[in-house]
Amino acid sequence: MAADSEPESEVFEITDFTTASEWERFISKVEEVLNDWKLIGNSVGKPLEKGIFTSGTWEEKSDEISFADFKFSVTHHYLVQESTDKEAKDEVLEDVIPQPMQDLLCMNNDFPPRAHCLVRWYGLREFVVIAPAANNDAVLSESKCNLLLSSVSIALGNTGCQVPLFVQIHHKWRRMYVGECQGPGVRTDFEMVHLRKVPNQYTHLSGLLDIFKSKIGCPLTPLPPVNIAIRFTYVLQDWQQYFWPQQPPDIDALVGGEVGGLEFGKLPFGACEDPISELHLATTWPHLTEGIIVDNDVYSDLDPMQAPHWSVRVRKADNPQCLLGDFVTEFFKICRRKESTDEILGRSTFEEEGREIADITHALSKLTEPAPVPIHKLSVSNMVHTAKKKIRKHRGVEESPLNNDVLNTILLFLFPDAASEKPLDGTSSTDNSNPPLESEEYNLYNQFKSAPSDSLTYKLALCLCMINFYHGGLKGVAHLWQEFVLEMRFRWENNFLIPGLASGPPDLRCCLLHQKLQMLNCCIERKKARDEGRKTSPSDNVTNTYSGDAGKSGDQLGPDNLRETDKDKGEVGKSWDSWSDSEEEFFECLSDTEELKGNGQESGKKGGPKEMASLKPEGRLHQHGKLTLLHNGEPLYIPVTQEPAPMTEDLLEEQSEVLAKLGTSAEGAHLRARMQSACLLSDMESFKAANPGCFLEDFVRWYSPRDYIEEEVVDEKGNMVLKGELSARMKIPSNMWVEAWETAKPIPARRQRRLFDDTREAEKVLHYLAVQKPADLARHLLPCVIHAAVLKVKEEESLENISSVKKIIKQIISHSSKVLHFPNPEDKKLEEIIHQITNVEAIIARARSLKAKFGTEKCEQEEEKEDLERFVSCLLEQPEVLVVGAGRGHAGRIIHKLFVNAQRAATMTPAEEELKRMGPPEEKRQNLAADFPPPAGRELILRTAVPRPAPYSRALPQRMYSVLTKEDFRLAAVFLRRCFHVCWRRNNRMR
């Protein structure tokens, strides 16, 4: 009754135990992941083939779950195999143990060289790992470990999953795992021990056998035989008897023309240190039983020379210093510098010269007299004198970044014509060793947008790269560039062609700096031809000063693309009446001014063809076949015309921007067409001068034959005659061609305003070169440096013939062509290319190191040499290589000798002691054991099948893996037993 008197509020304090706990939610999430990955039921797979763990493909899936606020990552690791038949999956027997448990006894994949640690320890083809998601998180307490194991056990039992499921415990660097696998009436426990200090009784086989037998707890007597697999690993670190074959550079020999491997124009190659740091020899006894072998703390039968299997792997040096990679990397660092050439070398040359000329006595004269144009500062003599004076004043000759010997050697390498006794006439502006258009090297510089390998730009890039690395660094680069610019101005002012550049207009497929140098060469060619023409041919009809343009015939030009290139390169923004009388124009007058006025311009202003017919023809190249003028029947002559103005890609871009700003209106389109027709007007004027009395129809018949239509018609007398007329587009009102023809005057090419003002363009190029900072220069030349590095790598690879390197080189070329072909590539992408080149250099250096150590060149028999080269190639490409014949094969004997020499050097044993090896067998065995150092790693795998837990139980596989190194000791064991209601028992124990 007392209870009835209590307040009703107590009724609502009932706890709802049906609500899921955090633990139950975690188990549900694990089950959900296993179901999503379809890891339910028995998985039947094919028997494991030998070496499949290394040669096969491993894949993994990942997901993330959480236990309360603690996040875990779930990862499924599995070996990709062909799926078995569906009928085989349906015929799964209830009493068959899961596939992972059957793999425990498989001996085909012991000690895989490259696999997950759980694969090496347990021999599994498929497993799931639950680990803390964050790297700094860890499951440390025993209660949490047991809680996770209980969760795994319940999830496996509820889903029927037969894939092993592991939980990572402790800190991740320890690689500690515990796990479980369940099957029909079978339970597998995966256990692990990790110690820093190894008990003495467990350092040999007999002690490990005692542990294994005690853990099995087999009720049978005698115990079934235990199968044993043993691997000892020996490490060779001492290469004193084999010097690294890389020759050190001889810097002092530079002046003599040779720098060891650093001759100007050639990049160095090779590693500065041995790229192979260690050789690991693994001696394996794959199939042993405990009654055959003896290994305890007193005696051991495990002689490495008697091991049936030998395998070798090499440990590569971490980031070895490579010459080619360092060269390119240091040059790339210049791209990030901000200093200008003047800031690096001192005050500006022109600024200092201006201050020296200034005088207080001229102060008043400046107020009354106009300031003179400082053109004298641009003369080569003045600039060279000022530059040398500045260097002497601020640094002294001996303190210059580059000494005279080095500088002269470089300049002679860049400008070989300066060393010849003949004057610098520049008759051959480029070498004859240019690769053909179809060659791979030609396509390479085209893809990289660099420069041909025999060009001046390419050589300049290599010289700057070497100067930056060996001679003065950034200051040396700035000094050489200053001298280079002075040389360019000297050649321009003295009409000396620049060597190492192909003739013709700038090649837009090359880098911009190469285009600028080609433009300067074009200016020198025009200026030289003009100056020679003044000296040799003062007459009016000069035909060899300008090359004839016979390509204006109808065989090469169509009506829709008439001299489009010329139109794109014409002068910009002038009216028709101002094409020939600009204040800034430069007339090339080869006759008196009165003759010019009387014969050309004044007569042209009279306008009529009849008046023009009486003019004296000028500027004729040659007669055009059988064509005659339509109105007077005179032969039609092809005139001497001006060459179109060459342009670099930056000028084309500027012109495109100007034309684009005109808009799309009719007026803008008309103005754009007139701006692009400077070359057309020039050709019309030349044609009028060469053919007095001509008409527009005559010009079109030569310039654009398809725009002159001829038809056969019947005349008044009934005869068939040809009648011609202009095409429809030529008859459009306000046609550009008609307007230009009416404006054109009969002026030969040599008296016209130059379409290409070589003086102005040359000064623009020289100014562009002078204001380049070292960083800008490095950006321009970096494609050439990468191009040279790739060619060097290809050259060195051809000597070694490494298949993997060939694939990497193709990848580098493909990647570089995508990155370098566009302006201003990202630094990150450039660093990736340089890193790839350095990796290839390291691989080739490793190949040479191994060949030197194994003495491939010393083999007398060709068959043995081929076997050794194949063995070395496999060492570079594979994680581990089997030694044919073990210690008795040719490679095995060389490896044995390497270890013997290393042991002799370590113990300082003289060579005479080797005679003791011919003693009795027992002493010989001890000496052979001394040929090798103590094993750096001892690995053992123990296997057997015993009934557990009762004698009448079915025999189940048991396995234990052991590894002993200098730093730690690890046991990874798998024990199977018959068990019913496994998950409920663990669950009850946890409660």
Side-chain angles (χ1 to χ4, degrees):
M1 296 299 294
D4 295 340
S5 62
E6 294 179 358
E8 295 181 358
S9 59
E10 296 182 359
V11 178
F12 298 99
E13 294 181 359
I14 300 175
T15 303
D16 186 6
F17 289 97
T18 61
T19 304
S21 64
E22 293 290 345
W23 180 42
E24 291 170 324
R25 291 194 187 96
F26 178 73
I27 296 173
S28 177
K29 292 176 183 177
V30 174
E31 296 174 3
E32 183 180 352
V33 171
L34 296 178
N35 280 283
D36 291 342
W37 290 343
K38 299 180 180 180
L39 302 179
I40 308 304
N42 190 7
S43 58
V44 179
K46 295 181 179 181
L48 293 173
E49 301 176 359
K50 188 173 183 62
I52 190 64
F53 284 173
T54 304
S55 60
T57 302
W58 288 86
E59 293 184 359
E60 61 181 50
K61 301 176 184 177
S62 296
D63 203 345
E64 193 170 283
I65 60 176
S66 59
F67 193 129
D69 57 348
F70 195 94
K71 293 183 178 181
F72 290 91
S73 64
V74 185
T75 307
H76 177 211
H77 301 265
Y78 58 97
L79 177 67
V80 179
Q81 291 181 298
E82 297 180 0
S83 59
T84 55
D85 298 336
K86 294 182 179 179
E87 297 180 357
K89 289 185 177 182
D90 296 337
E91 297 177 359
V92 176
L93 301 177
E94 294 183 359
D95 201 26
V96 175
I97 64 175
Q99 186 69 52
M101 302 181 187
Q102 299 179 29
D103 293 341
L104 296 176
L105 296 179
C106 179
M107 307 179 70
N108 290 332
N109 294 280
D110 292 344
F111 315 112
R114 182 182 296 167
H116 193 279
C117 59
L118 293 176
V119 176
R120 188 178 185 88
W121 297 339
Y122 296 114
L124 301 173
R125 71 174 77 180
E126 183 180 19
F127 55 93
V128 178
V129 178
I130 300 178
N135 291 329
N136 54 354
D137 290 339
V139 180
L140 301 177
S141 65
E142 184 178 358
S143 61
K144 291 181 180 179
C145 296
N146 292 333
L147 185 63
L148 289 175
L149 283 175
S150 299
S151 305
V152 166
S153 181
I154 294 173
L156 292 176
N158 292 343
T159 59
C161 176
Q162 297 185 5
V163 177
L165 205 158
F166 292 87
V167 176
Q168 186 170 12
I169 59 177
H170 293 285
H171 297 287
K172 289 193 174 183
W173 63 268
R174 297 190 64 181
R175 297 192 296 177
M176 288 284 293
Y177 298 89
V178 291
E180 186 174 315
C181 179
Q182 296 182 10
V186 180
R187 171 178 171 173
T188 307
D189 293 323
F190 295 89
E191 302 176 2
M192 191 172 295
V193 175
H194 183 217
L195 302 175
R196 281 289 190 183
K197 187 176 181 181
V198 188
N200 292 330
Q201 64 269 27
Y202 301 145
T203 58
H204 44 76
L205 176 61
S206 59
L208 294 173
L209 280 172
D210 293 340
I211 299 178
F212 185 59
K213 293 177 181 178
S214 64
K215 290 292 294 183
I216 292 175
C218 180
L220 299 180
T221 304
L223 292 176
V226 177
N227 294 321
I228 306 171
I230 303 176
R231 166 176 283 205
F232 286 178
T233 301
Y234 301 90
V235 178
L236 177 64
Q237 297 176 322
D238 187 6
W239 305 103
Q240 293 180 358
Q241 69 277 15
Y242 290 96
F243 295 101
W244 172 228
Q246 180 69 33
Q247 295 295 330
D250 184 9
I251 308 300
D252 297 332
L254 171 64
V255 179
E258 296 183 359
V259 196
L262 303 177
E263 182 181 353
F264 277 120
K266 296 182 181 179
L267 289 176
F269 190 88
C272 299
E273 55 183 326
D274 196 337
I276 302 295
S277 59
E278 296 178 354
L279 183 141
H280 294 191
L281 170 64
T283 58
T284 307
W285 294 263
H287 305 290
L288 297 175
T289 57
E290 55 180 319
I292 297 177
I293 198 75
V294 176
D295 181 46
N296 52 38
D297 55 350
V298 178
Y299 176 81
S300 176
D301 287 331
L302 300 175
D303 180 8
M305 291 299 296
Q306 303 300 323
H309 290 170
W310 276 21
S311 57
V312 176
R313 69 167 65 192
V314 292
R315 182 177 179 181
K316 305 161 186 174
D318 297 332
N319 300 321
Q321 183 182 4
C322 297
L323 291 175
L324 180 61
D326 288 350
F327 260 57
V328 182
T329 302
E330 291 299 321
F331 188 77
F332 174 68
K333 291 179 180 179
I334 301 179
C335 300
R336 297 174 177 171
R337 303 297 294 265
K338 303 297 182 181
E339 302 91 338
S340 65
T341 304
D342 293 335
E343 292 173 349
I344 296 172
L345 298 179
R347 290 179 298 179
S348 172
T349 303
F350 303 123
E351 178 185 356
E352 182 178 334
E353 176 69 11
R355 292 185 180 181
E356 291 178 357
I357 294 176
D359 188 8
I360 190 65
T361 59
H362 299 283
L364 296 178
S365 63
K366 290 183 178 181
L367 298 177
T368 57
E369 298 178 2
V373 180
I375 297 180
H376 62 278
K377 297 180 183 179
L378 300 179
S379 64
V380 64
S381 58
N382 187 278
M383 287 193 66
V384 172
H385 170 75
T386 306
K388 292 182 177 179
K389 183 177 180 181
K390 179 179 114 176
I391 293 176
R392 293 193 192 101
K393 180 178 180 181
H394 289 282
R395 296 187 296 269
V397 177
E398 68 281 356
E399 299 178 1
S400 299
L402 295 177
N403 61 61
N404 290 334
D405 294 333
V406 174
L407 183 60
N408 292 335
T409 302
I410 298 174
L411 292 178
L412 287 177
F413 170 73
L414 294 177
F415 306 102
D417 56 346
S420 61
E421 298 180 358
K422 298 180 180 180
L424 302 178
D425 55 358
T427 54
S428 177
S429 61
T430 184
D431 298 338
N432 295 326
S433 58
N434 231 356
L437 298 180
E438 297 82 6
S439 70
E440 184 178 358
E441 182 178 341
Y442 181 89
N443 294 329
L444 191 61
Y445 94 79
N446 186 11
Q447 295 174 20
F448 286 5
K449 199 173 178 62
S450 58
S453 56
D454 61 345
S455 66
L456 174 64
T457 312
Y458 187 93
K459 295 177 181 178
L460 176 64
L462 298 185
C463 290
L464 289 174
C465 194
M466 188 168 295
I467 290 299
N468 177 61
F469 198 83
Y470 283 111
H471 303 282
L474 188 62
K475 286 189 175 181
V477 170
H479 187 188
L480 177 59
W481 178 243
Q482 185 184 62
E483 295 292 336
F484 184 86
V485 174
L486 291 176
E487 178 69 20
M488 293 299 99
R489 177 165 291 281
F490 174 80
R491 288 177 176 269
W492 156 247
E493 295 186 350
N494 294 274
N495 293 347
F496 297 149
L497 290 176
I498 305 172
L501 297 176
S503 59
D507 189 351
L508 301 182
R509 298 168 298 181
C510 299
C511 63
L512 182 58
L513 183 63
H514 187 77
Q515 297 178 39
K516 291 292 184 181
L517 295 179
Q518 284 184 304
M519 173 67 83
L520 183 59
N521 226 19
C522 291
C523 298
I524 296 174
E525 288 179 354
R526 299 289 180 91
K527 181 171 178 283
K528 181 180 179 182
R530 189 172 64 254
D531 293 347
E532 291 178 353
R534 287 198 185 101
K535 298 175 183 178
T536 60
S537 181
S539 63
D540 295 339
N541 294 321
V542 180
T543 59
N544 57 354
T545 303
Y546 297 90
S547 60
D549 192 357
K552 294 165 184 161
S553 62
D555 297 337
Q556 300 183 12
L557 290 174
D560 299 327
N561 56 353
L562 301 174
R563 294 177 64 87
E564 292 179 358
T565 305
D566 299 342
K567 295 177 183 179
D568 293 341
K569 298 179 182 179
E571 294 290 337
V572 180
K574 293 178 182 278
S575 64
W576 289 113
D577 295 331
S578 65
W579 285 118
S580 300
D581 53 0
S582 171
E583 294 179 356
E584 298 179 358
E585 62 184 309
F586 295 84
F587 291 98
E588 308 306 327
C589 301
L590 303 184
S591 61
D592 295 336
T593 307
E594 296 180 358
E595 182 184 359
L596 173 65
K597 293 181 179 180
N599 194 26
Q601 294 177 343
E602 290 185 0
S603 300
K605 292 178 182 178
K606 297 178 182 179
K610 296 181 180 179
E611 293 79 358
M612 294 177 58
S614 61
L615 296 177
K616 179 182 177 181
E618 296 180 283
R620 288 179 173 179
L621 183 64
H622 59 78
Q623 187 175 340
H624 186 290
K626 299 180 180 180
L627 286 182
T628 59
L629 300 181
L630 295 175
H631 295 275
N632 56 16
E634 293 291 331
L636 188 149
Y637 285 88
I638 295 177
V640 176
T641 58
Q642 295 194 56
E643 289 294 321
M647 301 188 76
T648 57
E649 62 182 23
D650 59 335
L651 297 180
L652 287 173
E653 185 177 355
E654 291 177 6
Q655 188 184 70
S656 299
E657 293 178 358
V658 172
L659 296 177
K661 292 179 180 179
L662 295 178
T664 57
S665 62
E667 182 180 358
H670 186 66
L671 180 58
R672 186 183 302 108
R674 289 167 53 184
M675 292 169 61
Q676 293 176 316
S677 302
C679 191
L680 174 64
L681 181 65
S682 172
D683 293 339
M684 284 183 174
E685 293 182 339
S686 299
F687 188 83
K688 281 187 175 184
N691 299 277
C694 61
F695 285 81
L696 176 61
E697 289 81 357
D698 297 314
F699 177 77
V700 171
R701 291 167 64 205
W702 163 64
Y703 204 86
S704 178
R706 296 183 182 181
D707 277 316
Y708 188 77
I709 303 172
E710 293 182 335
E711 296 180 349
E712 291 185 352
V713 296
V714 180
D715 60 1
E716 298 175 353
K717 299 180 180 181
N719 298 326
M720 298 293 294
V721 294
L722 288 176
K723 182 180 180 181
E725 61 179 355
L726 295 176
S727 62
R729 73 167 186 153
M730 291 293 178
K731 297 178 180 180
I732 299 175
S734 301
N735 182 14
M736 179 185 64
W737 286 60
V738 176
E739 187 177 352
W741 181 261
E742 294 176 352
T743 310
K745 305 177 181 64
I747 304 175
R750 60 191 176 87
R751 292 177 179 169
Q752 295 175 8
R753 177 182 178 274
R754 281 181 280 169
L755 292 177
F756 176 57
D757 189 351
D758 51 72
T759 304
R760 182 178 60 182
E761 294 300 328
E763 290 298 336
K764 288 169 63 177
V765 171
L766 291 172
H767 175 73
Y768 179 86
L769 299 179
V771 299
Q772 291 296 301
K773 297 180 179 179
D776 302 329
L777 180 64
R779 290 279 181 185
H780 286 307
L781 296 178
L782 188 60
C784 296
V785 173
I786 294 178
H787 177 195
V790 171
L791 290 181
K792 185 65 176 179
V793 167
K794 292 181 67 176
E795 176 187 350
E796 298 295 333
E797 185 278 330
S798 62
L799 302 176
E800 306 300 332
N801 193 20
I802 307 173
S803 58
S804 61
V805 172
K806 293 180 180 179
K807 296 179 182 179
I808 301 176
I809 292 177
K810 290 182 180 179
Q811 295 175 0
I812 294 175
I813 294 175
S814 176
H815 187 199
S816 301
S817 61
K818 296 177 183 178
V819 174
L820 299 176
H821 205 68
F822 298 95
N824 301 322
E826 299 179 7
D827 287 357
K828 184 177 181 182
K829 294 182 178 180
L830 294 173
E831 289 175 350
E832 291 176 358
I833 296 174
I834 298 174
H835 182 66
Q836 289 176 327
I837 294 175
T838 305
N839 287 342
V840 172
E841 183 182 15
I843 293 175
I844 297 176
R846 293 186 191 111
R848 293 177 176 175
S849 175
L850 290 174
K851 287 183 178 180
K853 292 173 175 57
F854 282 89
T856 56
E857 300 299 330
K858 300 178 181 179
C859 293
E860 298 179 357
Q861 298 183 7
E862 190 66 26
E863 184 178 357
E864 290 184 352
K865 182 178 180 180
E866 292 179 359
D867 292 341
L868 271 182
E869 290 180 348
R870 193 180 304 111
F871 178 75
V872 170
S873 178
C874 292
L875 278 178
L876 293 172
E877 300 176 0
Q878 300 178 12
E880 192 170 280
V881 181
L882 185 68
V883 180
V884 179
R888 296 169 295 278
H890 182 60
R893 292 195 297 269
I894 295 177
I895 295 171
H896 179 213
K897 184 178 179 181
L898 291 174
F899 276 96
V900 169
N901 293 336
Q903 285 296 100
R904 185 188 305 164
T907 59
M908 304 299 293
T909 304
E912 291 77 7
E913 294 293 330
E914 297 296 325
L915 298 175
K916 295 183 179 180
R917 296 179 180 274
M918 305 306 296
E922 193 68 25
E923 184 179 354
K924 184 178 179 180
R925 179 182 301 173
Q926 294 178 0
N927 289 331
L928 284 174
D931 292 347
F932 294 88
R938 298 169 178 258
E939 296 176 271
L940 290 90
I941 299 178
L942 308 178
R943 298 183 182 88
T944 189
V946 297
R948 293 185 68 201
Y952 53 81
S953 300
R954 180 181 176 182
L956 298 175
Q958 317 292 328
R959 171 185 169 122
M960 187 178 76
Y961 170 89
S962 169
V963 57
L964 170 64
T965 64
K966 294 180 179 180
E967 298 179 354
D968 60 2
F969 169 71
R970 186 184 301 272
L971 290 177
V974 189
F975 302 109
L976 281 74
R977 61 173 175 168
R978 287 283 180 177
C979 188
F980 301 95
H981 307 293
V982 178
C983 60
W984 291 111
R985 288 178 58 189
R986 177 177 287 277
N987 189 18
N988 293 333
R989 182 170 68 252
M990 289 300 300
R991 291 183 179 177

